[in-house]
Amino acid sequence: MTEADKSALRDAFGSFATGVTVVTTRQADGTPRGFTANSFTSVSLDPPLLLICVAKTAQSCSTFCAASHFAVNVLSEEQRDVSGLFASRAPDKFDQSDWRPGPEGMPILPGSLCSFVCARHAEIDAGDHVVLMGRVLSFEMRGGAPLGYHRGSYFSIGLEDRLVDAAAGQGGMRIGAIMERDGALLLRRDAAGRVSVPVAPAGAGSVTGLAAHLGALGLTVQLDHLYSVYKDPQHGHHAMIYHGTVDGPAPAGMVYLPLEDIPLDKMHSAPERSMLARYRQEYKHGQFGIYQGNADQGVVRVMPMPTSGDLDG
């Protein structure tokens, strides 16, 4: 396959939302090993089988292939930091994490929605990956909401619904988006030169309404993940800002501006100014987060990008 074909196929695979897991095992000398992966699926109830995929380029591929047992920890939405840690190449990731030995000594991560301990049932060569099928020996379940993964980004199940409900009881809701094209952003610009992100028109305060509005202006858009959530006391509304890509000529009243040329001092509001300043920095490093808070203070929850076992340490 050409690199372009691989990229297109990766995008197609990415259209399927998955959960996030940390897969663990032990080396022959007992040293724990693990990595973040979204390539986990159930196979059979009788016998109880599941499978994981390990990239052949992963540093621990040979360890997993040689191990007689492995564990799968299905992460909750509170475990984004755990996912990020195990997606890194940090040599001391287990020293930095809260874990305990489970059945067969397999590392279990407390706080996970579910943990499975498996005996290796089969190994299948699958191109640039190895498929390991495990026979479930034991499992533990806990309450909580799952951590989701879609098109290279984390999302929390039901987060948008909870925010919309909160906004409905406390004031207006403003739905907007940071729309990117080749390193430039599509922004609204008024006669005074002030700029702001595109927003859904009044009466269409939803993600669907925003996409329909931009589509009616002749733009091709794809909204992929929630980027920032905050309350703007200056203008008396809540804001939910998504991230997406856009293509097509800038409509009247809008303009494409390279990231470095965005006049932050002419932003429509202080929260948007802070948000786009953060976006410029994150864009440089290729790692994005979601901001939750108000116009004055909040938390940026980092969203590292796991793949199907490729970011193993």
Side-chain angles (χ1 to χ4, degrees), residues 110-181:
S112 301
L113 294 183
C114 191
S115 297
F116 302 90
V117 172
C118 305
R120 190 175 66 171
H121 182 76
E123 178 182 325
I124 304 164
D125 188 292
D128 57 6
H129 280 64
V130 174
V131 176
L132 296 180
M133 191 172 296
R135 185 183 184 102
V136 178
L137 301 179
S138 65
F139 64 93
E140 302 175 13
M141 293 182 62
R142 307 165 191 84
L147 177 60
Y149 184 70
H150 181 241
R151 290 194 179 278
S153 302
Y154 293 128
F155 65 91
S156 299
I157 306 298
L159 174 62
E160 290 88 346
D161 292 339
R162 295 197 297 271
L163 291 169
V164 170
D165 290 344
Q170 300 181 36
M173 171 63 77
R174 184 168 177 261
I175 306 293
I178 295 175
M179 306 299 299
E180 190 266 336
R181 186 186 72 173

Side-chain angles (χ1 to χ4, degrees), residues 2-25:
T2 66
E3 290 303 316
D5 288 338
K6 290 180 183 179
S7 178
L9 182 59
R10 186 178 295 109
D11 289 342
F13 283 159
S15 65
F16 177 62
T18 70
V20 183
T21 69
V22 169
V23 184
T24 59
T25 191

Side-chain angles (χ1 to χ4, degrees), residues 181-284:
R181 186 186 72 173
D182 298 329
L185 298 187
L186 178 69
L187 297 172
R188 299 188 302 171
R189 185 162 63 183
D190 63 18
R194 294 177 301 179
V195 295
S196 59
V197 299
V199 297
S206 67
V207 179
T208 302
L210 174 60
H213 169 63
L214 296 174
L217 296 176
L219 298 169
T220 301
V221 304
Q222 178 176 302
L223 299 175
D224 44 32
H225 63 82
L226 188 63
Y227 184 74
S228 187
V229 181
Y230 57 86
K231 181 179 180 180
D232 187 343
Q234 178 184 353
H235 298 92
H237 61 242
H238 288 73
M240 293 177 60
I241 309 299
Y242 286 76
H243 176 269
T245 56
V246 61
D247 194 22
M254 295 188 184
V255 63
Y256 285 106
L257 291 177
L259 282 171
E260 295 304 319
D261 295 340
I262 294 174
L264 295 179
D265 58 332
K266 294 185 177 181
M267 293 301 302
H268 172 72
S269 67
E272 283 196 24
R273 181 185 309 116
S274 175
M275 177 180 66
L276 290 188
R278 172 169 68 93
Y279 184 83
R280 288 205 302 201
Q281 289 299 116
E282 292 182 330
Y283 189 88
K284 292 178 182 178

